[in-house]
Amino acid sequence: MAEQTVTVFGPALELMKSVKSPEGEMLTKPFLDVCRNVLPVIDKFGSSMALVKSDVGGNISRLDAKYDSDPSANSLLYDIVRAEVAAKTAKGSSSCSNGMLWLTRAMDFLVELFRNLNDHSDWTMSQCATAAYTSTLKKYHGWIASTAFTVCDDSFCVGYECWL
C-alpha cells in the first residue's frame, strides 16, 4: 500500500470537496472552513505574512458572524450578497460583500504564491511573492499599498526559510 504524504494543505484540500451544494452553489460555512484552514499554512511563513493573515482572519470573522446570525438565510454566499445588494449596503467598506471580495482576492494571491513556489524552484521567496502580488492584488491597490508590499516582501524570505 502506498504511503500518503501529509502536508499543511491537507485539511483545506479535504474541506474543498464540500464547498458546493449539489446545485453547484457556494455554501457559506464550508467555504469559510476552507479559508480558516489556510490560516495555519500562512503561519508557516512567520511574521512576514502577519498582515495577510490578519486580513484573511478578519474577513472570515465578519462572514462567520453574518452566517451565525441566521444560518438558514445565509447558507449560500450568494444569499449574503443578494441581501446586501437589496439593502443597498453591499458597497460599504464593512459589508460582508466587501469582506468576501477581499477574502477571495487574498485566496487568489495565496494560491498564486503557492503555485510559484512549486513551479519556480529557482526563484527566491521574494520573487514568488512579488509575481503573485503583481498578477493578483496589485491592480486593486493604490501606490501606497503597492509600495508597502514591495518593502515587506523582502522580509518574506525569513519566514519562508523557517518553513522549509
Side-chain angles (χ1 to χ4, degrees):
M1 179 177 226
E3 188 175 315
Q4 187 174 1
T5 304
V6 178
T7 70
V8 293
F9 297 104
L13 292 172
E14 188 61 31
L15 289 168
M16 288 287 293
K17 298 172 186 173
S18 63
V19 297
K20 289 187 178 181
S21 72
E23 296 78 27
E25 298 167 306
M26 294 294 290
L27 299 167
T28 302
K29 190 67 171 165
F31 173 76
L32 295 175
D33 289 343
V34 168
C35 294
R36 191 176 295 102
N37 273 275
V38 173
L39 294 175
V41 178
I42 297 171
D43 277 339
K44 299 293 183 184
F45 288 95
S47 62
S48 61
M49 289 284 276
L51 186 59
V52 172
K53 183 180 179 191
S54 175
D55 186 52
V56 168
N59 287 319
I60 291 170
S61 294
R62 182 185 319 176
L63 289 159
D64 256 339
K66 182 66 173 179
Y67 173 81
D68 290 341
S69 72
D70 189 347
S72 61
N74 298 309
S75 65
L76 301 176
L77 289 172
Y78 184 66
D79 290 340
I80 295 171
V81 174
R82 184 179 14 223
E84 288 188 345
V85 167
K88 298 188 185 328
T89 60
K91 293 184 180 182
S93 62
S94 63
S95 72
C96 287
S97 298
N98 192 48
M100 194 180 320
L101 175 66
W102 283 102
L103 179 57
T104 57
R105 286 175 177 174
M107 290 296 140
D108 288 344
F109 164 75
L110 291 168
V111 166
E112 190 63 21
L113 173 63
F114 300 145
R115 182 178 294 123
N116 288 342
L117 289 168
N118 184 64
D119 294 350
H120 302 285
S121 59
D122 57 321
W123 287 9
T124 66
M125 180 61 188
S126 182
Q127 288 172 307
C128 290
T130 299
Y133 178 79
T134 300
S135 67
T136 60
L137 294 174
K138 187 174 182 172
K139 60 188 162 210
Y140 306 115
H141 286 161
W143 177 82
I144 292 173
S146 294
T147 303
F149 180 84
T150 302
V151 170
C152 290
D153 78 334
D154 288 332
S155 68
F156 238 175
C157 299
V158 175
Y160 176 67
E161 296 302 326
C162 294
W163 181 33
L164 293 177

